[in-house]
Amino acid sequence: VGCSSDDAGTKPNEGDGSGSGEPEAVEGGKVTLGMHSTPENQFNPIFYTSSYDANILNFTHESLMTQDEDFQYQPELAKDWEFSEDKREITFSLRDDVKWHDGEPFTADDVVFTYEMLADPGYVGAGGVRTTFVNKLQGYEEYAGGEADTFAGVEKVDDLTVKFVFGEPSVKALSEVNFSIIPKHVFEDVAIGDMPEHEGSIRAGEVIGTGPFKLTDMIENEQYVLEANKDYWKGAPKLDSVVWRVVDQSVAAGMLEQGELDFFPEMFPPDDAEDMEGKEGFEVFSQPKFGYQYLGMKVNYGPDEDLNDLANTDLWKPNPKLENKEFRQAIMHAIDRQSLIDGFLRGYGSIIDAPFPPASWAYNPDEINGLEYNLEKAKSLLEKNGYVDTNGDGYVEDPDGNELTLNLHYPLGNKVRERSAPVIVEQLKEAGIRIELKTPMETAPYFTWISEKNSDEELDLFLAGWSLGSGDPDPSTIHQGKGTMNYSRFYDEAQDKLLEEALDPEKAWDNLEYRTEKYTAWAQMFSDNAYATPLYIDDEIHVYTSRLKGIVFKPFSYSADSHEWYLTKQ
Amino acid sequence: MFKYIIRRLLQFIPLVLIVTMIVFLFAYLAPGDALSGEMLDPNIDPEVYEEQRAALGLNDPVYVQYWNWLKRAAVGDFGMSLNFKGRSVSDLIMQRFDNTLYLAMFSLVVTLVVSIPIGMYSARHKNSLLDYSGTTFAFLGLATPNFFAALLGIYVFSFGLGWLPTQGSVSSTGLSGLDEFLSRIHHLVLPGITLGLAGTASYMRYMRSEMLDVLGSDYIRTARAKGLGEKTVLYKHTLRNAIIPIVTLLGIEFGTLLGGAVITEAVFNYPGLGTLFLSSVQNRDYPVLMAINLIAAVSILIGNLLADISYAAIDPRIRLN
Amino acid sequence: MTNKVLVEANQLKMYFPIKSGIIKRTVGHVKAVDDVSLKVYEGESLGIVGESGSGKSTLGRMLLRLLEPTSGEVFFDGDNLSALPKRQVRPYRRDMQMVFQDPYASLNPRMSIGDLLEEPMLVHQTVRDRGERRRKAEELLEIVGLPMQSYNKYPHEFSGGQRQRVGIARALSTNPRFIIGDEPVSALDVSIQSQVLNLMKDLQKQFHLTYVFIAHDLSVVKHISDRVAVMYLGRVVEIARKKDMYHKPLHPYSEALIGAVPSTDVTKKRKRVVLEGELPSPASPPKGCAFRTRCPHAHARCKEERPEMVEVNPEHFAACHLYTNEDGSLKRGVGVV
Amino acid sequence: MTAPLLKLQDVKTYFHSKDRIAKAVDGVSFEVNEGEVVALVGESGSGKSMTSLSIMGLVDAKSKELTGSIQLSGVELTDLSERQLSRIRGQQMAMIFQEPMTSLNPVYTIGNQIIETLRKHKKISKMEARSRAMELLQLVGFSRPEESLKSYPHELSGGMRQRVMIAISMSCNPQLLIADEPTTALDVTIQQQILDLMLKVKDELNTAILLITHDLGVVAETAERVLVMYGGQIVEEAPVYDLFINPLHPYTQGLLKSMPKMEEDKERLEAIKGMVPAAHKFPAGCRFAPRCQMATETCHHTTPELVQASPTRAVRCLLYKNASLEADPGRLKGGVEV
Amino acid sequence: MQPQRTEQPAVPLSFEAEEKSLSPTHLAWQRFRKNKLALIGVCFLVFITIVAVFADVIATHDPTASQLAKIEAKPDSENLLGTDSSGRDNFSRLVHGSRVSLTIGFFAMLCTVIIGGALGSLAGFYGGKIDGLIMRFVDVVLIFPFLLLFLTIVAILQDITIPIFIMVIALTSWPVMCRVLRGKFMGIREQEYILSARSIGCSDWRIIRKHFLPNAVGPIIVAATLLMASLIVAESALSFIGFGIPQPTPTWGNMLTEAQSIRILRNNPEAWMPPGLCILLTVLSINFIGDGLRDAFDSKS
Ligand SMILES: Nc1ncnc2c1ncn2[C@@H]1O[C@H](COP(=O)(O)OP(=O)(O)OP(=O)(O)O)[C@@H](O)[C@H]1O
Ligand SMILES: Nc1ncnc2c1ncn2[C@@H]1O[C@H](COP(=O)(O)OP(=O)(O)OP(=O)(O)O)[C@@H](O)[C@H]1O
Ligand SMILES: [Mg+2]
Ligand SMILES: [Mg+2]
Ligand code: NI
């Protein structure tokens, strides 16, 4: 697929047209990119976990399909595909001109191998987390459980044809199988347990993909050198190399100005972005991220011991403080979300009215209400439900007249989220709700804690974020009663039903309108039930030197056509 | 002298053992199995869970666990990192250890090269301009938080003047020989100086007061009475005596540097043990945490040992007892 | 001076362990005091002289049970102090006191003279009334010749001699019967030293005190003592009445020691025994007679056998093989002059 | 008689501090001849050490003020630069200090410390210096000088260190040796050895010794001439025999009487009351007057001068100014050379 | 028996009768008063303490309240020092921060002194085995760098609040104090006046109380002040890496952390300069006071 800024990016590279005349392109050249945390140095797509490793993998590995700015799937390693009648099978025909970085041809064997590995009985034990890409496929349970010798879910038809077989028809089928392919010839003799430590997963020069760049050198934790793959099937990249450097967010602006960095994608701090926008020689591009931040409420605790029975709502215990729906709504109305965006995000963000990214087709804000900031309404809801300040301390007591304090937990790591926590406390104070702000925890232990500390009454409110990736907007994982990330432990039959309906293959197949309708109805119920408040979507901010051209920004990716990137003279 | 070193080495062993015990205890207290880095999935079948625990030796008596861990630690096997999937702790540490070592060494050298001459000069020329400036610098150095000095340094020398790099340990890959060395030094200047700031300040003061003490001592009066020139008195008789107490401090300073490295490395994104430690704290990567603690403690012990040996080398009184 | 024994030391030994190695093993002992027996009669003053490190202070401290002896006993007024548990020794402290060498270090710099003088009365509850205590303290000041205003002052405001007076007053404050002076004048200048010596002599008479007076200055000891004991390497080598000791020392060491004192008598030039070498280390004293390494009269027997203390002349004891035969009996003709 | 080796004239060493002047040495004049042993006695704080340090040019304080004239072999020391002085120190005049324990540099072998002095002042090779150092050690009574050269100060006892100090000070055959209380820290038996050694060395090398001490016994046995210091001044000067037989100054008399003596038995000592005044608050008039039993009213107002009582004796006391020595012979008992 | 005067006439004392006699503490104070730097230090510290005490009166803004409309605002009449990146009033945070920073510094120091002091004096007083045991313990703790130890404990505890922060500081930094006190006690133990007290029959407790402590108090205070200074610096450093007192509690360290961003460093000096200066000046003052006290207590000078 020939890609130019015209047919791909929603927002074409602004540098293109500006200035007097087109600056002259230079041959080759090196582009230095900045990221602010160290990768974990795991460059095997089936094992990496950190998004910083993904920064590198994005240049080196490819999947069967790619998505356009409308999230529609477009061919990549697969030329095209077709569904079977019963919608349970997809057959991909692969390109024949793709070569791995080491010159080996890319074939159906690689695809099958990749998915077999994902379903391997030892995969989870070796630290793999990406079973969602295989667990809907036919025969997964048997294969992963070690009962079957072959994986029925993926099948090589011929050297350039692969067939995926689902257990049930799924409307999300394409997104559920679209995963980076790893080379069989490198890993076939490696036991799955040893794969994460294998050279091909960690060593520069040994990491083999099909992408436009190959990882040739690195100083771990500092620099990752990606050199052009001259044999790239879309054509040799225009740049000679792309170098990732790990730099602190706080000095990113300075380093760009110093010319030490050319491009700081996605994570450029919003505070500095304003400054950079005015600067000559730099381009700032921002768009909403593909995820959102929310304030969760622990509506139910439980299950006490056995996390296996997460979905067994009978084992749940209601959190008495948050049982009242209108009280929860009052909390929702008391939060001035726009002020968070204007303040902490410097406007680089937007509020959302439904738990979908605005760029997604599922997002239909006009139809949904009940999330607006309305202090009066919050107060009247409180009063109506008997939450009044009886002892004159400025805070409401619960209907029984007991003092009411909710505690709010939040994780460290995301500066804006950290800063918004105390503001939420204040805003709720305005409404008369007393919040006790708890000591923040580091991200990783925090999420373990909020999902596990279920029997403990010390958790009422929590801040969290949710990222959808570029996949299907289906929110089941976090919002369905049995969802693994349903930290709120909220369950409502009617609401859950809508989610199920939205995925009903009968009606939803290739019918985005139908799904939009269902999701809109669901979103309304979501906001009525008020067990979580979507706070804002922050923008991803990209800052790069004006000399760098050819970047295509999709709502979820900036590196899609990196082989087209080029530099111009000053 | 040789006997002294042997004796010190023998004393070293029980201390290392105690240190390992403490680290083991910490790891034992920490959630999960911080010793092997195996995180057991608590969601699995309790029977299987128990089996796995038993297989990992988690049900053994504490001392057996300690012994097994010690045996593994002795050959550098600290288990797997929880955070860095598929990486062994020793691998992670090896990767960064040399960087921190360079940083600590560089800053130690800067500290000594700056503080000793200035301290000496200040003592010789009490109340001179340089003495006052030195004292002022020392006071300021002790009162300025390390990270703040680092930030100011970046602001002025990297972004203001553009002289020094702010991030990382080397400018690019593929360098070798002299180029690499120079690039590394270039990258060490700012972190090294900020890391050594507090040390420099306090050593300067130490040196000054030690020099003053020694200059007022009887044997210096003797040296003068013998008609020795000022230079001999100063460099031969005073310096060596004044430096003795400083040398003993060096062992401790080594520890301070390792601790300070956590902050300095964080500011400069310097890929050393400090940043690894910090990220391990943030991610509760206990196996890495414990291993770094152990390494730091052992490094300090070695530092102390070296300090003691050099102490003995310059102070003949030590060798007797 | 009566013949009543007030303090008696019986085979006192004090071995300080020398520790070394990783686990601080005891590798040897400093025999600071090695088998010393002596009697102090009520009302007398016994001088103890010897070179630095010969164990004088250690002996003095053991007599007061400020140090636990390695072995041996101390009797005070007939009571065996060594047999008493530590707590029960405290009441005895009223009767026995000490004056220290360094007037600058022996008074707590943070207590006023009044506090210092009253502390013993407080500790022993001898004077319970506050006013009474103050009166007593002022009386003590008067006794040692310090002005009343000193009561509120602090040690740093006094000169060495004055401090030593405070130290003496403090020692007197419990009305003791026995005082040990551990080189109480050696840190003082001659002119001040004589003031303090006079004072101590006066007080002895006035309060019928018994003194053990430790000094390394033989002329001072001679001035103040009735009897003198000479110590060498943790042992008493000679003990005699002052006159006997100074006019006819028996032990070669005493002889040398006395001879070594520079004389102010410019009219006569004396002939002296000058000792070779220095005091051996008390950690490894020579076998046999400890003094033999420096003794001009050392002979074969001195190497082998440790001399016992014998009464060579009445009330004149010495531990030297010059005066005994192989069987331990007194040599003929060496004794009575 | 030839010109004196050392000649001090009206030497004053004052220390200035914010609110006071400490007159540590206040107008001291005396002479030391070649090969002579002169003792400087006085109580603690009387300025003995300051006098000696002033001679050596080693008074080491920013706030000091040194006036008067100090001549060594006719060379005016006060005019010399530090560099010139350092050539004289150790070479022509040497000094031994009171504290043998701290006077040697603990980190160098004694051989090193002796050789360094030799090499500084004499242009000789290392080997020569070494053998000379061994000779010196032999001279001061080390039986195995070869080994002793290699030992460190802490391995030696006090007496041995003091001997090393003597060896160092004698290494360049100085004409003048200043010994500042060289034996006070030592035991009597050792003291005797050290004093004998000093005298022996003196006889061999014909060195003049300025012996500073507060021990009158030492003075009587070692010195030929005595200077008595009190309050930063010399109050009496006399040949040793005369001084002990017939002290003139009431202070000297008091000192002698307050000493317990081996030769005589006294029930009581006669003490001088009070104590030495501090250097920054000397009383007006005669500095000894407040403690003097013979002090008259005038003594408290009039400052006495050092008067030459006889060719060899001088005294600073009004008793001898008002009434000349001859006029009141009754006061002076015994053999004064008049 | 009437005490009779000795024949020796009373010695005229060197001081006049009416001259007021000064205790060593008084003298130390007099020497301290002559130390200009230390006095300036005291003045500044008193000033800061007053500010801390009256923080509510001086700064009327809520130091934790964000004004979202005014983020990183330049100073104006309402926000005298502008606002920080959370829109909180810098001036108010500075003023209230003094309270938190000083309290933390002080209590952390106090706890350290109590733990280290108690163990140190035990070791110094009894010596021998107890001393050996305590000192080995100290050695072992000191083998771990302060920051690593601190962070490890925090990682295990998983929670930081002010009391925990203070306790962990005390747990990790007591050995220093312990050594100071032990050294001092050891020194005092060798003094003759302790022997003198023993010979008089004082109990151990009285000896500690009357003879050890008053003489050790000077060095304790000196060490404690210097410790407090370094703890204030340590607090800010810990804030910087995110292990200090959690936001939004205002501490100087938390404020200074804002300067992490080069932009604020460059554009908003009014945001980081005041807390930076406050830390600097406070630490300097405390150090000056410490030095002054050392000189004052050390009567040799
Ligand atoms: N606490 C101790 N531990 C070990 N050795 C000790 C101790 N106290 C004294 N000694 C040793 O015991 C010996 C005798 O010491 P002591 O103080 O009794 O001598 P002294 O005769 O009083 O000497 P001086 O005249 O110097 O006071 C010395 O060698 C000394 O080093
Ligand atoms: N640097 C100084 N500043 C002020 N006064 C000083 C200084 N050095 C010495 N003094 C004073 O000078 C006086 C004489 O001191 P010096 O040391 O000469 O006495 P000394 O006779 O040697 O006494 P000692 O027998 O104690 O050695 C003393 O009162 C002392 O306080
Ligand atoms: Mg003694
Ligand atoms: Mg002197
Ligand atoms: Ni981050």
Side-chain angles (χ1 to χ4, degrees), chain B residues 110-130:
Chain B
V110 169
T111 300
L112 294 182
V113 165
V114 173
S115 60
I116 290 180
I118 296 189
M120 271 178 75
Y121 183 92
S122 297
R124 278 286 315 291
H125 306 265
K126 235 173 123 189
N127 305 335
S128 67
L129 189 66
L130 191 74

Side-chain angles (χ1 to χ4, degrees), chain C residues 8 32 37 86 105 199 203 225 233 246 258 266 277 298:
Chain C
E8 183 176 354
S37 304
K86 241 183 166 162
L199 172 66
L203 293 173
S225 329
L233 269 189
Y246 282 84
I258 290 165
V266 281

Side-chain angles (χ1 to χ4, degrees), chain A residues 248 250-251 254 257 271-272 275 279 336 339-340 342-344 346 410 412 415 419 422-423 426-427 429 437 439-442 445, chain E residues 62 64-69 71-72 85-88 158-161 241-243 246-248 258 260-264 266-267:
Chain A
D248 208 84
S250 62
V251 295
E257 285 173 35
D271 312 334
D272 286 328
D275 265 18
K279 286 242 163 61
D336 181 0
S339 69
L340 295 177
D342 295 343
F344 296 142
R346 309 291 170 110
Y410 65 104
L412 293 169
K415 283 275 168 298
R419 287 180 200 160
V423 173
E426 275 166 54
Q427 291 183 343
K429 180 181 168 192
L437 194 61
T439 321
M441 270 185 254
E442 296 297 335
Chain E
D62 180 349
T64 61
S66 299
Q67 303 152 275
L68 290 177
I71 284 195
E72 287 177 26
S85 58
S86 290
R88 295 176 290 226
Q158 315 212 347
D159 197 8
I160 322 174
T161 57
I241 48 172
F243 290 91
Q247 295 278 14
E258 291 262 309
Q260 238 179 85
S261 151
I262 298 294
R263 170 180 36 83
I264 292 186
R266 176 158 40 191
N267 300 345

